[in-house]
Amino acid sequence: MSKTAFVFPGQGAQYVGMGKAFAEQSESARAIFERAGKSLDLDMSALCFDSSEEALQKTENTQPSILTVSYAIYTAVKEKLGIEADAFAGLSLGEYTALVAAEAMNFEDAVRIVRKRGQYMQEEVPLGKGGMAALLGVEREDVLKVCEEASAYGICEPANFNCPKQVVVAGEIEPVKHAIEISKRYGAKKAVLLPVSAPFHTSMLLGAGEKLRQEMLKYTFKPAKHPVYSNVTGDRLEPEADVRENLVKQVFNSVLWEDCVASMVRDGITTFIEVGPGNALTKFIRKIDKDVQVFNVETPEDLEILAEKIKTGGGNADV
C-alpha cells in the first residue's frame, strides 16, 4: 500500500510575497497568519507579503515567517484534499512545521520558540566570524576528508547532507574558504560560499542550543500523532523520544536530510508533498530516489494541479 509524507522547507526559502495568494483565497490559511501575529505581537502578513528582503533575512524574522507560511499552506492543502499523512519531516527549521503538523507542538508555541531560536543562533557567533559553503559533486565520505583537512585552519564541519553529492559545510570563515579550495581536489564541480550570517548546524552553536533548551522548558510537548523523521538521526523519532532534546541537538549537529528521505522510503513512503515557499526539497528528493513521486505546493495553482492529478490518477490515489 502506498504512503504519503509531507515535508517542509527550512531557512533560505523565504521571499517577499510568500503565502500571500493562499491567505487571499483560503480562510484557514489566513487564520494561521493572524494566529502567528497575535503570538508574536507583530503583523505577520505584512512581514511576509509586503516587507523587504532585508527584513525577511533577519534570522529572528526568517524562522517564524517560513514556519507560518508553510503551516498556513499545509492547512489549506489538508482542507482541500482531506488527507492524513503517513509521515512528516522538515529540513532544519522545517522540522518545527513537521512537529506542529504531527500535533507534537502547539503552533503558537512553535512560532515563539523559533523566533527565539533565530535570535540565539544569530547572537552566538559575531557577524563575519562564521560562514557556510555548498560543495557540489563531492562524495559524502570525501566531504568528511575535506572538513578534516580544513580543520587544520580552525573549525570546519559538515552541516547539511542534502542529497547525493550536495553537502554544505560550515564553521569559521577561513577554514570554510580553505574547504572550498580543498574540495576541488576531491572532484567538486562547484564550491561556493553561501550568503548566510552564521555557521548553522556546527559546534560553534553549542551555546545557542543551551539557550534554546532553557527556552523550551517553558512549553509543553506531546507525542506526535504521526511519524516524524529527525534531522539529527536521519530516522523516525521514537514515540518516547525527547522532542526538546532532539531540537536542541539539531542546532549544532549536521542535518541528515538525505538519510531522512531514505528512511521514509525504507518505511514505505512512495509520495512526497513539499509544502511551503520554494521547491528545494522537491529537487533534493528526486536526486535521492528517482522512483518516488514528488509534488510541491507553493501556490493555489500548485494545489489545483495536485488535486487534479489525484482525481485523474496522475498522482498517488492514496494521497
Side-chain angles (χ1 to χ4, degrees):
M1 182 178 178
S2 58
K3 295 182 178 180
T4 300
F6 278 97
V7 295
F8 304 98
Q11 192 161 334
Q14 72 277 359
Y15 60 87
V16 176
M18 60 179 180
K20 185 175 182 178
F22 267 107
E24 290 174 343
Q25 297 184 30
S26 167
E27 187 175 335
S28 59
R30 187 161 56 251
I32 297 301
F33 284 93
E34 292 170 357
R35 287 168 60 186
K38 288 179 182 178
S39 297
L40 299 177
D41 193 25
L42 61 78
D43 190 335
M44 183 58 77
S45 296
L47 175 62
C48 294
F49 308 159
D50 304 310
S51 66
S52 64
E53 292 290 350
E54 183 180 10
L56 274 180
Q57 285 172 2
K58 292 181 179 177
T59 306
E60 64 187 70
N61 291 335
T62 309
Q63 299 201 13
S65 65
I66 291 177
L67 168 60
T68 299
V69 171
S70 298
Y71 190 60
I73 296 175
Y74 169 72
T75 61
V77 172
K78 188 174 180 182
E79 183 176 71
K80 182 172 182 64
L81 302 182
I83 61 177
E84 288 293 335
D86 297 291
F88 293 99
L91 179 74
S92 187
L93 168 70
E95 191 167 325
Y96 286 80
T97 317
L99 288 163
V100 172
E103 300 182 50
M105 295 179 71
N106 173 275
F107 172 69
E108 283 81 358
D109 291 349
V111 290
R112 293 188 189 103
I113 290 170
V114 299
R115 187 170 178 83
K116 287 289 188 180
R117 178 181 184 264
Q119 291 172 353
Y120 298 150
M121 293 171 83
Q122 186 61 70
E123 293 167 358
E124 188 64 23
V125 179
L127 283 173
K129 184 177 180 181
M132 304 182 80
L135 309 183
L136 309 183
V138 183
E139 297 289 348
R140 185 167 179 159
E141 58 270 23
D142 288 335
V143 169
L144 301 179
K145 294 175 184 176
V146 169
C147 288
E148 184 178 357
E149 289 187 37
S151 292
Y153 303 93
I155 299 170
C156 183
E157 301 166 1
N160 293 65
F161 291 96
N162 291 327
C163 62
K165 296 188 177 183
Q166 186 164 334
V167 178
V168 175
V169 300
E172 294 172 307
I173 192 65
E174 287 307 315
V176 169
K177 288 179 178 178
H178 280 288
I180 290 174
E181 295 306 312
I182 294 167
S183 71
K184 295 173 184 177
R185 288 196 277 107
Y186 288 93
K189 294 180 180 178
K190 187 177 181 180
V192 294
L193 281 174
L194 297 176
V196 297
S197 54
F200 301 121
H201 303 295
T202 69
S203 59
M204 293 177 73
L205 294 186
L206 277 165
E210 184 54 43
K211 291 176 183 176
L212 183 64
R213 176 184 283 113
Q214 296 304 313
E215 176 67 21
M216 289 196 295
L217 290 174
K218 302 174 184 177
Y219 301 96
T220 301
F221 294 79
K222 299 170 287 187
K225 290 190 176 181
H226 305 278
V228 176
Y229 288 72
S230 163
N231 288 186
V232 174
T233 65
D235 212 333
R236 177 176 173 171
L237 272 175
E238 294 301 326
E240 68 276 9
D242 185 338
V243 174
R244 283 191 190 89
E245 193 59 29
N246 178 69
L247 293 175
V248 168
K249 289 179 178 178
Q250 189 214 62
V251 171
F252 51 80
N253 278 277
S254 302
V255 170
L256 304 180
W257 181 250
E258 182 180 345
D259 303 67
C260 284
V261 173
S263 294
M264 285 187 275
V265 172
R266 175 204 66 202
D267 293 342
I269 298 298
T270 55
T271 301
F272 291 82
I273 303 175
E274 179 182 5
V275 175
N279 63 352
L281 302 188
T282 296
K283 294 176 181 177
F284 293 157
I285 294 167
R286 285 176 176 155
K287 291 179 180 177
I288 295 167
D289 194 311
K290 293 179 172 59
D291 295 327
V292 298
Q293 292 190 100
V294 192
F295 304 97
N296 75 292
V297 180
E298 182 179 8
T299 67
E301 291 75 19
D302 294 333
L303 179 53
E304 291 300 327
I305 291 170
L306 176 57
E308 185 62 25
K309 286 184 177 179
I310 294 169
K311 181 180 177 181
T312 59
N316 191 316
D318 292 318
V319 172

